[in-house]
Structures are given as C-alpha cells and as structure tokens.
Amino acid sequence: MSLIVFEDEMWPNLATIAQARPLFELRCGGYTVRERVAALLGHDQVLGLARPHLMGHFGPPTGLAAMYSAEPTVLVNGRCLDLAWLPRLLQEPINTIYLAEGDLIGARLTPALTSAVLYYLRAQYSADARDELLRFARVVELAPAQHPARVVYPWDLIAQSGEQIIRDLPLLQARLPRYQGDDPHVVVRGTDVFVAPEARLDGPLVLDARDGPICIEAGAHIEPFSFIQGPTYIGSGTLISSARIRGETSIGPVCRIGGEVEASIIQGYSNKHHDGFLGHSWLGEWVNIGAMTTNSDLKNNYGSVRVALDGLGQVESGLIKLGCFLADHVKLGIGLHLNGGTVIGTASNIFGVHSAPKTIPPFTWGGEIFREYRIENMIRVARTVMGRRKREMSGSYEALLRAVFDLTRTSRGEVLDLPVLARAALVG
C-alpha cells in the first residue's frame, strides 16, 4: 500500500503561515497530519504532495515518480486533523472515495485510477480530482456527525488544539508510559500524565491533568517551579524553563519555553525562553521571541478578532480569544507588544518598536522603518540559528527559502521604507 497526503485548493487561506511548509506539516495536537497518518497506520513512509516550491524539500527524494506505484494507494487530505475515518477507508472495496461536505478527504484507489488523479492533485486541484473519481469510484458521503475536523483558516489550528491532543491520546499512550514517579517534589493532579522515561522532571513542579492529558516526550526537560496544565503536549528535547503552560497547548521538538503560554501551538525548534505572555497563538519553526515580548488575545470590547490573510483581506475569525501568528524564522526583539490577530510573515525580523503593526509581510526587516530583509543575510542568520540546535541547512531547504522570498516579493512592495505609523494605516 502506498500512502499520500495532499494539499487542496484551500491552501491560499493558510499561506500566511504556510509559505515555507505544506499544510500537512502544520502541527496540531501531538502530531502533524503526515505524522498522524504514519502513527495511526504503522506505516514508515507517508509521501507528501504539495505546492511545487515545497516538493524539493518535503516531497520524496525521487520526486513525483515515487507517487506512481504498482500497489493500491490511499490518499489523505492534509487539512484533516481528525483521522478516525481512515481505518474504515482501508476496509472499503478498492476504488472508494470519502467525501465530507463535497471535500475529497480520502480515497483508496487502484494504481491506474491513482495515476489518473495525481495530475490534478499535484496542482492542488482536488475538486477536479474528485469529479474524475466520481465517474469511476464508489462514493461514501460521510454523515455530518462523522465529518472530520478540517483546517480552513489558521485559527482553526488554535480552536482545535486542545481537542486534538485528546484525540491523539490513544496514539501517544501506545508509546508513552503513564507517569509513576515517586518524587515528592513533582505534584501530579489527575491520572492522565504520560512521560517518556528519558524525560527529566526537576521539582518542585505541578502537572495538573484534571482538565486533560499531559504528554511529555523523551529528552524533554521540565525545570523547577514549572506549572503544566492539561491538555498539553511537550515534544522531544524541549526545555520548559520555570514556565506556566496552560491547557490546550502543543509544543513541538527542541523548543525553549519560559514565561506564560496558553492555548498555543509551537511548531518546533523555536524559542520563547523569557518572561512574557503567549496566548491562543501559533508559532512556526526557528522563531525567536525576545524577553518581555507579549501578545494580546482578547479585545477590550470582547468582540471577534479579525485577521488579515494574503489575498483575502480582513477576515472575521469568529473567536473572542485569538493571539498572533508568527511564521517560520520570524524574530522579535525585546519588549514588543502584539495585538490579537497579528500576522508576521516568514523570516521577518522586527525590533525597536513598542507595538508591532498587525500585519507584516514575509522577509521584512526593521522597526521604525521597514525594509526588505535581504535573502543572503536571512540565509546566513538561519544557518547560524539552525547550527545552534545541531541542524544543518540542506540545499533543498535553502532553495525552498529562496523560492518563498521570490514568491512573496510583491506582498512587500507597497509597505517597505515607510515609517511604522504610516505603514500601520496602510495595512489596517
């Protein structure tokens, strides 16, 4: 069996945070969608089909040729967080597709029919692939109660974070033992605390799982005077530095987290090591937040938070509590204040202002004056940052970052070299 996760037509809604990664590589709960498929099915290799500029790094090493298999193929929509339907699909007759509200969410196909639709899926035309499959395949329209949680806008990741940790618990329990430690300085409330033996817990600290499970991966280090409230997931090699981690939070691998964090997702390899509040927010990889930088996640009038999305303008989230979205490689200086709904694009470096503008395009540099962040400088800094975590920038990843720089150039044109107040007025 060949497994392929794919992006569909909705990717532009999430491009603001996903210019440098496929939708199926966005973390929510204990896994990304690709990781969740692999864990659920016990399959070592799950291929990813994404936008062209991402395939060199996130696609199979042999390119698109690897997608054409002599074996039956299972397709999974990369926006699906809840995969409870996937084991059922594997039991269906060959050439069966699953639809939810018209969306193609999954399919089990012969090699011939797979080849017929990969042409559309590699261009993110899943509706065309669906229409082609309707001609030849058996169709299962999932009942409304069975519709899987799907990401449509960036804030859906935040809204689903706590519930997804709970949905992931059976997979996490399969490899993380229930905590049985007897250290009197580690106070455990509730029963659903799962800690890898290789994790390090240094009391005094509190693990409060009364409202949901706490899962701590191997190599994580929880320093003294930390408070962790479930549901929370903490990835491998992550340091919790005397922090308050409140519920509905997912923290990926090799992060450094201090201060207060609530209902947020941190993709991985990012630092918020110092005091300051991060609430109802999403951070990509290789993000660094300076000391005392804080975001708001609640408007004074308790109204819905609006978010500016590329190509869509201002969109009502429908959420009363929503913080910021910081894409991969964003760097923030000390003491910045971010309003709810702030979006900062890939590889922007912002410093020297009290309040950051609510929308900042990718590859922006500055504070009082914004300029384009020169790609050579950005690559050099990224190499240094990655090297500090013993990660080497591959040629494919460098090519990806250069492609994102070129693809987003027009989004910077009208806002560069403007004072911060003029720029804020321009972008709202």
Side-chain angles (χ1 to χ4, degrees):
M1 177 177 64
S2 177
L3 287 169
I4 299 174
V5 290
F6 63 90
E7 294 188 302
D8 66 9
E9 294 92 339
M10 300 303 290
W11 72 262
N13 288 7
L14 293 116
T16 300
I17 64 170
Q19 286 285 5
R21 67 182 54 252
L23 304 190
F24 49 77
E25 296 290 358
L26 295 172
R27 178 174 300 280
C28 185
Y31 302 92
T32 68
V33 173
R34 181 173 4 203
E35 291 171 344
R36 189 170 294 116
V37 171
L40 183 62
L41 301 184
H43 205 283
D44 292 336
Q45 188 176 37
V46 179
L47 304 179
L49 190 54
R51 286 157 280 162
H53 75 281
L54 300 171
M55 286 297 289
H57 184 70
F58 289 101
T62 56
L64 287 171
M67 306 282 180
Y68 296 88
S69 171
E71 302 174 337
T73 296
V74 173
L75 301 173
V76 178
N77 191 315
R79 291 192 295 112
C80 289
L81 298 177
D82 180 6
L83 299 178
W85 52 271
L86 185 54
R88 298 198 306 273
L89 175 63
L90 268 60
Q91 303 304 314
E92 301 280 8
I94 198 71
N95 288 343
T96 295
I97 67 172
Y98 275 14
L99 302 180
E101 300 174 299
D103 285 345
L104 176 64
I105 66 165
R108 180 170 178 259
L109 306 175
T110 61
L113 198 47
T114 301
S115 296
V117 298
L118 282 180
Y119 171 81
Y120 301 110
L121 293 179
R122 70 185 187 184
Q124 294 76 57
Y125 296 154
S126 73
D128 291 339
R130 176 203 62 202
D131 293 345
E132 182 72 9
L133 291 170
L134 289 175
R135 301 170 55 202
F136 304 104
R138 173 176 174 265
V139 178
V140 176
E141 179 71 48
L142 297 183
Q146 297 175 321
H147 288 172
R150 303 189 296 287
V151 179
V152 178
Y153 296 104
W155 49 86
D156 294 330
L157 295 164
I158 304 302
Q160 288 289 325
S161 178
E163 184 62 30
Q164 189 59 52
I165 295 171
I166 295 171
R167 287 193 290 257
D168 285 338
L169 186 57
L171 295 174
L172 295 168
Q173 276 182 283
R175 55 184 178 77
L176 292 178
R178 194 179 297 272
Y179 180 68
Q180 301 291 346
D182 57 1
D183 185 342
H185 299 294
V186 178
V187 176
V188 176
R189 296 172 178 162
T191 59
D192 286 342
V193 177
F194 302 90
V195 181
E198 301 83 1
R200 177 177 167 186
L201 307 183
D202 290 341
L205 59 88
V206 175
L207 304 175
D208 185 351
R210 290 175 295 182
D211 293 330
I214 296 172
C215 299
I216 302 175
E217 296 277 13
H221 179 192
I222 316 300
E223 287 190 338
F225 305 106
S226 292
F227 169 80
I228 301 175
Q229 177 187 51
T232 283
Y233 170 83
I234 297 175
S236 60
T238 282
L239 171 69
I240 304 300
S241 185
S242 305
R244 288 169 291 162
I245 309 297
R246 303 200 178 274
E248 304 184 359
T249 293
S250 295
I251 302 172
V254 197
C255 294
R256 303 289 182 265
I257 306 299
E260 181 180 5
V261 178
E262 178 183 14
S264 295
I265 298 172
I266 303 175
Q267 184 78 21
Y269 298 94
S270 289
N271 295 335
K272 183 211 166 298
H273 204 163
H274 303 289
D275 284 343
F277 174 68
L278 180 75
H280 294 85
S281 297
W282 185 90
L283 273 61
E285 289 189 353
W286 308 111
V287 173
N288 190 77
I289 297 179
M292 304 310 296
T293 288
T294 288
N295 78 272
S296 167
D297 62 1
L298 180 68
K299 295 170 68 172
N300 285 346
N301 64 3
Y302 289 72
S304 169
V305 177
R306 292 188 300 168
V307 183
L309 299 179
D310 289 345
L312 298 177
Q314 295 281 347
V315 180
E316 288 284 355
S317 71
L319 299 178
I320 294 177
K321 300 201 78 173
L322 186 62
C324 60
F325 297 91
L326 309 181
D328 293 333
H329 292 280
V330 164
K331 304 292 187 289
L332 301 182
I334 62 171
L336 269 67
H337 291 177
L338 285 73
N339 286 320
T342 292
V343 178
I344 302 182
T346 305
S348 288
N349 193 321
I350 309 302
F351 52 88
V353 291
H354 177 72
S355 295
K358 194 172 176 182
T359 307
I360 297 176
F363 294 90
T364 297
W365 168 281
E368 292 297 333
I369 299 290
F370 289 93
R371 296 185 172 87
E372 185 173 78
Y373 192 176
R374 295 177 181 175
I375 185 61
E376 299 301 335
N377 292 344
M378 183 270 153
I379 294 289
R380 176 177 52 78
V381 172
R383 285 187 187 280
T384 300
V385 171
M386 295 173 74
R388 285 167 57 87
R389 295 290 176 264
K390 296 180 171 49
R391 294 288 297 269
E392 183 177 351
M393 181 184 291
S394 65
S396 63
Y397 191 60
E398 179 179 346
L400 184 157
L401 292 173
R402 292 182 182 276
V404 173
F405 178 83
D406 292 334
L407 288 168
T408 60
R409 190 185 297 272
T410 56
S411 69
R412 295 186 288 279
E414 64 181 7
V415 297
L416 299 179
D417 296 317
L418 286 177
V420 64
L421 292 178
R423 189 199 173 283
L426 177 64
V427 302

